[in-house]
Amino acid sequence: MIPRSFTKSKNFLAFLFLGVTALLLFGANLLLGSVHIPVEKVIDIIFGANGTESTIKFIILDSRLPSALTALLAGGSLAVCGLMMQSAFRNPLAGPSVLGVNSGASLGVALVMLLWGGTFRGSTMGVEGISAVMSGAFAGAMCVMGIILVLSNILRNPITLIIAGMMIGYLVSSIITILNFEATAQGIQGYVMWGMGSFGGQTRETVIPFAIITCAGLAFSLLLVKSLDLLLLGEDYAKNLGLNLTLTRNLLLVATGILSAVTTAYCGPVSFLGLAVPHITRLFFPTDLHRILMPACILMGGVIALLCNLLCLLPESGVLPLNAVTPLIGAPVIIWVILKSRK
């Protein structure tokens, strides 16, 4: 039997490693980009020193810093969504996209972009346009979330609920395909760009509401760790201990819906992070206790998202789409999970 003191010290070292790695990657996201900026100038701008060129200050404070913050928070949010879904449904392949929430957000964006003809990038779209796109994504995601909540009270079997979520996703995809026939070329291009995913395109003004909603959603999720631990013991045992299964499932769906909705609205339908990060986290923290796994997933999700954002910035010819990078990390993890389950 492994001593508890050894386990605690190992968890502490793992948290310390993730924290230091997150700080280093966050700094690297501020330093690297298409424009070379010396380290000392970046430090001066971050700490508010005067005399720095306005162009460089704009690049750091209005582009790189919001992008790094978005990656950190979005990665943590998607990882927590994946952890809650995998624990609630006791399925290692459950994730925030399985219930159709991402599809609902995509439908909201499609209605704005394909019918209105807007684009997502701030350079070609005003503040009103960006707000409309994000509002559409959030409204679409929450509409699907409402349908899932109603179905969760009808379909008691978690597997059946997952299948229902997948069918909603297919239905939404069909509607989006139909909308493409009525859209302008500009609208289709904007929607395709949004669908590739990106942590960039944010400013100091737009990242503030994202940070507030995300932090509130993460705090709410942390309150559910005890219920998640009870669910792992089995539904009958959890019910005998006084856990309200219907209420718990609804709270988990609301937390997942809010976090995945706001993340999808701001960053697009980011693939694989919510599915793969919980499994990567368990390699560092071999435990089933959610009071350890939940904060660990937040850190791990932020680290991997910052790494993906950094990889997107490496090509000198331009910025890679986020969904071209995330499968490079997520897909091998999922294949490993499938092979492990088979054994």
Side-chain angles (χ1 to χ4, degrees), residues 101-114:
V101 178
N102 289 356
S103 299
S106 298
L107 178 59
V109 173
L111 289 172
V112 173
M113 287 188 174
L114 299 180

Side-chain angles (χ1 to χ4, degrees), residues 133-145:
V133 169
M134 293 182 179
S135 299
F138 190 78
M142 295 315 295
C143 284
V144 172
M145 199 70 255

